[in-house]
Structure formats: structure tokens, C-alpha cells
Amino acid sequence: MPGDAGPPIVEARGLSLVYQAADKPVFALSEVDLAIHKGDFISLIGPSGCGKTTLLRVIADLERPTSGAITVEGMTPEQARLKRLYGYVFQAPALYPWRTVERNVMLPLEIMGVPKAERQARAADQLANVGLTGFEKKFPWQLSGGMQQRVSIARALALQPDLLLMDEPFGALDEITRDHLNLQLTQLWRRTGKTCVFVTHSIAEAVFLSTRIVVMSPRPGRILDIIDCDALPRERTLDIRESPEFAAIAHRVREGLKEGHSYDD
Amino acid sequence: MSGNPYQTSPYRTSLRTAADWGLVTLALLTAAALTQPIGIKDGAILSWTADPIALLFLVGSAFSVVGGRTAPTPAKGAWVELGGAAMAWLLPFHLLNEGVDLSRGWGLWLYLIVATVMLWRVLGVLSAVPGWRRSLLVPGLFGLGLLLGWEVLVRGFQIPSVLLPPPSAIAASLVKHAPVLWDDFRQTVLTSVVRGYVMGCGAGFAMAILADRVPFLARGLLPLGNLASAVPVIGIAPIMVMWFGFDWQSKAAVIVVMTFFPMLVNTLAGLQTSERIQMDLMRSYAAGYGTTLVKLRLPNALPFLFNGLKINSTLALIGAIVAEFFGTPVVGMGFRISTEVARMNLDIVWATIVVAAVTGSVFYGGLALLERATTAWHPSMRRR
Ligand SMILES: Nc1ncnc2c1ncn2[C@@H]1O[C@H](COP(=O)(O)OP(=O)(O)OP(=O)(O)O)[C@@H](O)[C@H]1O
Ligand SMILES: [Mg+2]
């Protein structure tokens, strides 16, 4: 497998996380084992509340695991965060309403102390990438929800991180824009050799983008199945979605999801 | 415009469609006014017919109502009716010039009530028109109407000026006493208020930032804030004068006591308003406390900060003026009010009150403008 060389970028072993809610504890993650290698594109898929966001937040050091071990680029998640090794696209746009679109994208660069000219160049680049050229001077509330989410993607990409953590980035987009951005994302990933961890609810999206698909199930949040997509070429085009290999993988993901999905409780 | 024949367009009113109960009321009131005298001149009752100019004004107002309701757009109609109302409010000045005693001119007063109703309608129409008409003209006309009413009522009913002078007399006194008023303004506002305000708000803000980092400070200070807001300014002012002397220092101290806690409480509340996801974003950038404060939490707190600043602008002015009652060098707005009231020089007292009121409004208005400029992004500001 091409991604397997070298130590893993993210390695979790026996990872568990319990939220102490007011009434009873919530077992958001339970005994999660996962190794993500350089150049991997990992999709997390599973029913709502199965801990996808939680897993991403643990990798990003926004949440501390209750037990188990996790390393990011061989460091603790905190060290990785302090070195700004990842870019995070949140489930909601989380734009700052007093900043224009352009200045929102430049925010992380400002904090990192990137010079002004380069900040502007990078922001312009990334806004063009997500199809928002011409909206630089608009304020977030003047944009639709999907456009806001694209701004937040541009903001994460402007950091040029090696590790990209994305929490349902395309959830709020229409099918065509979504296809377009999927294609852009896979090309960017191929070109730059980034490692991506990507949360989605769409089986087609997961299969199209991923090298491996992690199927999760809730209560407690755990990994049911990890599906390799080696049958698909690393170079992805939209028409691979018609291929039998694609259909076979999608079928397996669907079976896995069904297994984890129980409406009894 | 759609061609629906069953729908009357609001822009094409005929007199018939506009003949509502408001119009009927106006007509009845005018008819009643015509039966009553407009005043007493040289001991004799003056009727409408005795003064052709009065009658002319009345007819003019009547025409303006008709014209206003048949105008092509409500806004244009409003202007016409405004002219009619203005005419009505000018009539008493003409009569006062002629030496007429208005106090029992019930016909005139009824006419003025009609004019007030007209003005009401005009303001209603104009405030529906966006732009400068709504933001400047409507409050301007409203204020002008109040001043005119004040002037006419006070002079018409011959209220003693010790009780309430007409605005024209106050304006004259403003001009006459301008040098004294300017000295008072400089002492009270430019010296005491500005310094006290900057110190009080600055200290409250700084303490809030500190209390944000040191939680026990917030816990200890907030109950004190409630206590301090209940302390009467009358109580602390003499104490501060004893401590800090007669000059501006004691006034500034009173202002600091009054403004410190409102600023502290508002800043603390504002710093709590950032959402978790916004904070997480900063955390993901490994932003430190200072960066998060400057780039996220303070901008988010701006509406609260302005709230504190605006409350304090009023408190500071009140504090300084009241504190001057308890001792000051022989200058200052509070000093002026306390001494001139005792000497029955009410006109300069009223002039000082006007200066204080205008100062307070300008102070507050300036802050409101600044707020609008810096927090235009906030949901509460967007539609305005
Ligand atoms: N801060 C929190 N405090 C308590 N419980 C939480 C917290 N955050 C998440 N949970 C719980 O943890 C579980 C997993 O949540 P998580 O947000 O990771 O789900 P998810 O897979 O991302 O769901 P979705 O697809 O709806 O985004 C849920 O049951 C949720 O109620
Ligand atoms: Mg989620």
C-alpha cells in the first residue's frame, strides 16, 4: 500500500472518551484503534452521534481522551496543535462576523505572523479554489450557508497544513457544487500529498474520496469496519463512480452502516 | 401597479377614499373651533371674523388637508399637510404680537389641537419613508413641535417665568450668559467629566480583564458592584469633596465610583459571549490568551462595552453636576444651578440645564454613532 511507509501520522490505541453529562455519562468513543499514514485519505462515516466529531476533536486536542493513547506525527496531540500541524474545518462555518470573507481566511495567517502580501495572495488563491472570487469584501451574514462553509474550507486550506481534519465540510452544499469541490479536494490531496481525515454522511462521497473508510457505530462510539479502497485508482475522476469496483465498496459500506444502525433504542 | 380594480392603490387616493374617521374628527373639531372666540383684546372678545388673518390661516389649513389627502404620493401629501399645521402654529404668534390675550381663546386652542393631529399624521407618514426623512426630519419636526407647543402654551396662558420660561427666553439667556456658561462647561465637562469618565471606564475595563484571568476577583467584585450601584451619589459626593478637595479631583472621584462597576460588569459579560466553536478555532491555531482576547473576545464584547460606555456617559454628567453642589471653585454647572436658584435667577438655571441636556445627548449620540460604525456586523445593528 502506497501510504504505509514511515510511522503513522495519527495513531490511536484503545482510545475511549466519556462525556460526563448531567444525568448519565455518554460513551462517545470506546476502544478505538486507528492508524492513519502519510498521504492517507480517511473518511469517518456512521450514524449521527456515533462519535465522529469527537474522534476528530481528540486528534485536534480540542478534547482529552478518558483513556487510551494517541499520537499525532509522533507527538502528543497538544504538541501537534501548538506546532499548528493541522487545519480543522468545523461542522459549522465558525466565521467571525466582524471580519470580511477575505479577512476571515487570513485570520490563521495573521496569528501565525505571515507577512501581509503573502496573506493576501494565499487568501485570494484559496477563495478562488472554492469558487468565491469576488466575495472577498462581503461579510459572512451576506453569504448563504453553503458559501460560508466554503469560506471556512478556504480558511483551513490557507494554513497549508499537512494534516487536514474536515468535519462534514460539504454537508450544506448542493450536489453539483459538492461534486466540484470533491474533485478539487481529491486533486489537491493528490498534488500536495496531504493527509486527510474527513467526516461525511454520504457513502458516495466517502468512496469517491477515500483510501480507507472507517465505519463507526454509536452507543458506545466504536469502529465497526475499516474498508480499503485499493481497488480504485489513486487518481480519482468523477466517472469512477460508475465502475463496478466503486459499487462494490459502496455496498460494503452500506452493509456496515446497517449493522451499526439500530432504531431499537 | 397591478390593474386589480378591487384594490385601491395607496398612491392614488381620492378625497372619497381618504375620508376616514380622522378626517371627520378634524372637520368636527374645526367646526367647533369656529363657534368659539380666539382671544380677548382690550377687554373685548375677539371672534374669528374679527381678524381676517386668523380666518385666512384656518382656510389655508383646511385646504392643506384636502390637498394632502389627494396628493399623488403620501410623502408629498405629508409635506402639504405639514404646511397647514405650521400655519396653525404660527397664528398664536401673530395674535400675541397684536396684544391679544389667548388664555380664553378656546377657538384658537381647538384649532391648535387640530393642527397637532395633522402633525401626528404627517410624522406617521414620514417615518414610514426610509432615509434622511425618517432619521433626521421626523425627530427634528417632533422636537420643533414640542418647542412650539411649549412656547405657545406658556405665553398664551401667561405662566410666570419663574415657574417655566418659554423656550425663546431660555434661548435669549443662553446668548446673554454665553461666557459664563462656557466657563462652567469647561470646568464641569471638559475637566471633571472627561477625566473622571476616562479613569472610571478605563479602570473598570482593566479590572474586568484582570478578573477574567483571576476568577476569584470576579466572584468577589460582582456582589460589590450591586452594592456600589445602590450607593446614592448624594452620599458619596460630600465625602469625596472632603477627601480630594474642591477642584475637579473630587468630581472625578465621584464619577469613578459611579462608572467603575457598570463598565466592569458589562465588560465581564461581554467577554463571556464568544461561542465555543469560535474559541475552538482559536485553540486550533494555538493562539494564546492575548491573541484570543484581541482577535476574538473583545470584538465579540463590543456591544457590551458600548452599553457600559453609554450608561456611564449619562452617569458621569449627573455625578459631576451633583458633586458640585457640595463644593467647587466658583465655577461649574452644578455650582451655577445651586447658587442661581437661591438668587431666583431662573433663566440662567434653565440655560445651564439646556447646556447639560445637549452635552449629555451629544455625548451619548456620539457613542451611539461610534457603536454603529464598529458593530455594524452585529445582528442587532444590521437592519438599521
Ligand atoms: N460536549 C459534550 N458533552 C456531552 N456529550 C457530548 C458532547 N459532545 C458530544 N457529546 C455526545 O457524544 C456523542 C458523540 O457526539 P459527536 O458529536 O462526536 O457525534 P457525531 O458522530 O459527530 O454526530 P453527527 O453526525 O450528528 O455530527 C453524542 O451522543 C453526543 O450527544
Ligand atoms: Mg459531528
Side-chain angles (χ1 to χ4, degrees), chain A residues 19-21 26 28 46-55 63 91 167-168 199 201 219, chain B residues 276:
Chain A
Y19 286 114
Q20 290 302 340
V26 180
S48 185
C50 69
K52 307 181 293 292
T53 299
T54 306
L55 180 54
E63 218 76 67
Q91 201 162 351
D167 197 348
E168 293 186 43
V199 174
H201 281 293
R219 280 173 294 272
Chain B
R276 190 167 96 118

Side-chain angles (χ1 to χ4, degrees), chain A residues 207-226:
Chain A
V207 180
F208 175 72
L209 290 170
S210 311
T211 56
R212 277 189 300 157
I213 299 169
V214 175
V215 182
M216 297 179 68
S217 99
R219 280 173 294 272
R222 63 192 187 280
I223 294 179
L224 276 186
D225 195 4
I226 298 182

Side-chain angles (χ1 to χ4, degrees), chain A residues 57 61-64 81-82 84 86 88 90 92 94-99 107-108 110-111 141 155 159, chain B residues 274 276-288 291 295-297 299-300 374 376-378 382:
Chain A
R57 288 176 64 85
D61 187 41
L62 299 175
E63 218 76 67
R64 293 272 155 86
R81 175 175 65 82
L82 292 178
R84 301 181 176 122
Y86 65 81
Y88 197 120
F90 289 86
L95 302 175
Y96 290 178
W98 53 89
R99 285 178 166 251
L107 173 72
E110 259 172 59
I111 293 174
W141 46 273
R155 182 180 57 191
L159 270 164
Chain B
S274 294
R276 190 167 96 118
I277 193 166
Q278 294 179 323
M279 296 290 282
D280 281 346
L281 189 72
M282 277 296 173
R283 194 173 147 87
S284 81
Y285 298 146
T291 313
K295 294 217 185 281
L296 170 62
R297 299 178 69 207
N300 251 337
T374 52
W377 51 270
H378 197 262
R382 273 177 216 161

